[in-house]
Amino acid sequence: MINFKDKPFNLTEEQIKWVESTYEKMTLDEKIGQLFCPVVFSKDETELKDFLDKYKVGGVLYREGPGEEIHAAHSFLQKESKLPLLIAANLEYGGNGSALEGTFYGREMLVGATGNYERGYQLGKVSCSEGAAVGVNWAFAPVVDLDRNYHNPIINVRAFSDDEETVIEMGRGYLKAAREEEVATSIKHFPGDGIDERDQHLLTSVNSMSADEWDESFGKVYKAMIDEGTLTVMAGHIALPAYEEYFDKKAPDRVIPATLSKNLLQKLLREKLGFNGLIVSDASPMVGFCAAMDREHAVPACIENGCDMFLFNRNIDEDYEFMHKGYESGILSEERLKEAVERILATKAALNLPKKKKAGTLVPDKDALKILSCKEHVEWAKECADEGVTLVKDTQKLLPVSPKRHKRVLLELMGGFDSDERVSSYMIGRLTEEGFEVTLYEKEGFEVMNDSVGNLKSKYDLILYVGNIETSSNKTTARLNWHTMFGLGNNMPWMVNELPVMFVSLGNPYHLLDAPMVKTFINGYCNSEFVMDAVIDKILGRSEFKGKSPVDPFCGKMDLKF
């Protein structure tokens, strides 16, 4: 049962009346439509109007785009929608999660590395205030996963830490800021990612903790966020077999993602943890959802088993039909349909969306866009970078470097991402400004068979590796892959005993696993210009290293420390 007056809704009698009367007036199509939060791509007003008339959705999400375009599209959608929309964005690491020109405050692990809980609040403030400026009222954030498996290919720097207390305090700060901006949070990814070495985008991943282990880690985190008042929780396509066995009194005979599990959603999250708010599924096109059950049954079963809102679609016409057919056949019960829609409406009421729709203020005036990358937010991001960049080791006593002693630099960019050119250009530009002569590594062919140690030493004074390897959907690893084999060529760090070699990671903090021979290693956790500037200042000795690693960069292996 829903308690509208209790946390996290805290509705007034007037707001409760709006929820109940609105539900009673809704047609079946309108109720079914409220369950959906699709990705919207078009910004054409005729197409958007037709879309709203046809599906009557409860929410939408645009991928990142130019602020003015996103603002205009959100304004039109809210004006034309009969009921106010939940407008979502992945506001995990700054306002650039919605508007491209928003502030890139920093990846969660950079924030965690500062050890300064005020930075968690600032992350939320930057993300949600800039998101709100373009009309976002629902943040798919903060990520409250625990990064406890260095092989995990998707959480990694998206987690604040491997320590639950750090995650709790940073998460609390984010939630406080989001409330101030009247933006709903969706903590994710229940029941907890960062344990498996696999990605739920590609399969149903498994949180392999025992029930007791889960209670003392993820359970503490989720209970703290629930007590703090998060309006929504995002359920992942992640199984938790120990709690399936706990509730069923027998070992499970199949892998069940949380998005389809009554045990995890209704018994663990609702009853044991006491969550009274809205549960949204993670993106339903992910293989972790699709592989668990045929889609015709999975779409309505997702709502019947405990999710209140269905995120994204493979084909919205088909999914919409599947939801209708599931209701007509009894897969989706009248009771669960009513409960889910009323939780959606209650979330909107808690955000004062009905009142804002009447006043025409669901999306602020264009003047609000001035907050994007404003001076204060940029300053906060610089401070976060300064406090977060971490010196993992310098066993060769290389630092600080200088253009007098290390003038000729071979820059080796390890990446393979769209941001590679931006990162390499920025690093080369900054180092050149400081007086270094920088050569960007280019892949060699078999001519390297004629190269020599002496030749390399005659050309360079420092080998600088910059890791720009980010975790990303549909990539099974975030590891180093070398161009050359057997140490031939100058891509692999064969030369660590011949020349000074330094590695700066702007992504994955675990690259020492593949390059333990590198004796000077720095973690920046994200590839923002603020982080790159902080790295330059620190390797030149102008600023001390302040960051403390929120995970084990040595991966539990002794040889990585030397």
Side-chain angles (χ1 to χ4, degrees):
M1 297 296 293
I2 311 171
N3 188 338
F4 294 123
K5 293 183 178 181
D6 201 0
K7 192 182 290 184
F9 298 126
N10 302 310
L11 300 189
T12 64
E13 290 293 345
E14 181 183 358
Q15 289 172 321
I16 294 171
K17 184 178 179 181
W18 178 83
V19 171
E20 294 175 342
S21 63
T22 299
Y23 182 83
E24 291 304 318
K25 296 172 186 174
M26 294 171 75
T27 65
L28 178 60
D29 280 352
E30 288 172 333
K31 292 173 185 175
I32 295 291
Q34 285 294 297
L35 302 175
F36 288 93
C37 181
V39 179
V40 182
F41 295 99
S42 175
K43 297 183 180 73
D44 179 84
E45 292 188 353
T46 300
E47 292 180 6
L48 292 177
K49 180 73 165 63
D50 291 343
F51 167 81
L52 290 173
D53 290 344
K54 183 175 183 179
Y55 300 113
K56 304 166 179 63
V57 295
V60 296
L61 178 143
Y62 275 105
R63 296 297 186 188
E64 306 94 316
E68 286 197 10
E69 288 186 16
I70 297 293
H71 179 275
H74 287 165
S75 297
F76 182 81
L77 284 166
Q78 290 289 31
K79 182 171 80 64
E80 295 296 325
S81 180
K82 179 179 177 180
L83 293 176
L85 294 164
L86 290 172
I87 294 184
N90 285 312
L91 299 176
E92 294 184 16
Y93 46 89
N96 60 335
S98 184
L100 288 173
E101 61 268 48
T103 309
F104 186 176
Y105 183 82
R107 298 286 186 181
E108 289 90 339
M109 194 168 286
L110 174 71
V111 177
T114 69
N116 181 353
Y117 297 147
E118 178 68 13
R119 300 299 176 202
Y121 169 82
Q122 289 180 357
L123 173 62
K125 195 70 172 176
V126 171
S127 300
C128 295
S129 64
E130 295 191 10
V134 297
V136 172
N137 54 42
W138 193 12
F140 288 162
V143 176
V144 293
D145 293 312
L146 298 168
D147 191 49
R148 293 192 175 178
N149 187 335
Y150 58 83
H151 284 313
N152 185 285
I154 193 64
I155 296 304
N156 203 273
V157 292
R158 296 171 72 200
F160 289 113
S161 177
D162 60 8
D163 169 64
E164 59 269 8
E165 293 304 323
T166 299
V167 172
I168 287 170
E169 292 305 321
M170 293 298 184
R172 281 176 174 153
Y174 191 109
L175 264 61
K176 180 177 185 292
R179 278 196 303 273
E180 293 172 357
E181 298 301 326
E182 295 189 284
V183 172
T185 51
S186 187
I187 56 174
K188 59 186 185 183
H189 307 80
F190 181 83
D193 210 340
I195 302 300
D196 202 341
E197 65 180 69
R198 299 168 297 176
D199 175 8
Q200 60 162 328
H201 292 77
L202 307 177
L203 46 77
T204 304
S205 62
V206 178
N207 185 317
S208 56
M209 287 180 159
S210 69
D212 287 342
E213 288 171 335
W214 190 90
D215 287 345
E216 291 302 310
S217 53
F218 287 99
K220 281 185 176 179
V221 171
Y222 275 93
K223 188 68 172 73
M225 296 300 98
I226 290 167
D227 290 345
E228 194 65 28
T230 186
L231 267 169
T232 80
V233 171
M234 182 178 287
H237 312 308
I238 303 167
L240 184 58
Y243 258 108
E244 297 288 353
E245 183 171 358
Y246 175 85
F247 289 117
D248 287 342
K249 309 302 180 189
K250 62 177 183 179
D253 57 7
R254 65 189 180 99
V255 174
I256 309 169
T259 37
L260 291 167
S261 173
K262 283 187 177 181
N263 282 335
L264 300 185
L265 297 180
Q266 298 191 30
K267 294 180 181 178
L268 180 56
L269 184 54
R270 289 271 186 234
E271 295 175 17
K272 184 167 183 176
L273 295 180
F275 182 58
N276 184 47
L278 181 147
I279 302 173
V280 60
S281 77
D282 205 338
S284 69
M286 291 183 186
V287 182
F289 181 80
C290 297
M293 186 186 296
D294 69 283
R295 195 164 186 88
E296 184 171 348
H297 288 84
V299 170
C302 178
I303 304 300
E304 179 63 25
N305 291 340
C307 286
D308 301 305
M309 210 162 189
F310 191 80
L311 188 60
F312 306 167
N313 306 95
R314 288 189 63 80
N315 179 296
I316 190 167
D317 286 322
E318 186 177 61
D319 285 351
Y320 193 73
E321 180 184 353
F322 286 160
M323 196 72 80
H324 264 281
K325 287 175 67 175
Y327 173 76
E328 291 161 4
S329 68
I331 297 173
L332 174 56
S333 65
E334 180 68 37
E335 179 184 13
R336 270 298 298 143
L337 175 62
K338 182 176 188 291
E339 181 186 353
V341 174
E342 287 191 341
R343 286 191 195 277
I344 294 166
L345 296 175
T347 302
K348 295 178 179 185
L351 293 170
N352 292 310
L353 301 191
K355 187 176 293 187
K356 290 181 178 181
K357 184 166 180 62
K358 281 186 179 180
T361 58
L362 280 168
V363 178
D365 294 337
K366 279 180 64 175
D367 193 57
L369 298 177
K370 291 178 181 177
I371 199 172
L372 300 178
S373 290
C374 68
K375 183 177 180 180
E376 182 178 42
H377 292 179
V378 168
E379 191 59 35
W380 284 353
K382 290 178 179 178
E383 291 170 357
C384 183
D386 176 59
E387 292 180 11
V389 171
T390 305
L391 177 61
V392 176
K393 70 175 182 180
D394 184 25
T395 57
Q396 63 183 321
K397 305 298 183 185
L398 170 63
L399 299 175
V401 297
S402 76
K404 287 184 178 180
R405 290 179 291 120
H406 311 99
K407 189 173 186 66
R408 300 167 302 167
V409 178
L410 176 62
L411 176 64
E412 309 234 18
L413 184 75
M414 307 298 295
F417 288 81
D418 293 341
S419 56
D420 283 358
E421 184 176 351
R422 174 180 67 83
V423 169
S424 61
S425 296
Y426 194 82
M427 287 296 290
I428 290 171
R430 289 289 286 107
L431 289 166
T432 301
E433 288 173 7
E434 298 292 344
F436 294 93
E437 294 176 0
V438 185
T439 301
L440 183 64
Y441 169 80
E442 294 183 3
K443 294 178 180 179
E444 309 103 330
F446 285 108
E447 72 275 7
V448 297
M449 298 290 290
N450 299 316
D451 207 351
S452 66
V453 173
N455 184 45
L456 182 71
K457 293 172 75 171
S458 72
K459 292 193 294 186
Y460 303 112
D461 305 307
L462 173 67
I463 311 296
L464 174 59
Y465 287 90
V466 174
N468 188 45
I469 298 176
E470 304 173 286
T471 56
S472 179
S473 303
N474 304 329
K475 288 190 177 291
T476 55
T477 62
R479 302 277 293 274
L480 296 177
N481 291 301
W482 312 103
H483 166 59
T484 49
M485 298 184 294
F486 313 121
L488 295 171
N490 297 323
N491 183 222
M492 298 178 89
W494 63 266
M495 72 294 288
V496 293
N497 295 309
E498 311 294 343
L499 283 166
V501 177
M502 174 167 53
F503 198 115
V504 176
S505 176
L506 302 177
N508 187 350
Y510 302 115
H511 284 318
L512 274 174
L513 181 70
D514 293 318
M517 70 291 286
V518 176
K519 302 183 187 309
T520 301
F521 190 93
I522 295 162
N523 271 327
Y525 310 105
C526 72
N527 60 18
S528 73
E529 293 179 0
F530 309 124
V531 166
M532 289 189 275
D533 285 341
V535 167
I536 297 294
D537 282 344
K538 293 176 190 303
I539 65 174
L540 289 173
R542 290 197 294 253
S543 172
E544 64 178 311
F545 286 92
K546 305 180 183 76
K548 302 295 182 185
S549 185
V551 293
D552 177 14
F554 304 113
C555 308
K557 299 182 183 298
M558 180 182 66
D559 61 298
L560 274 60
K561 297 180 179 182
F562 303 140

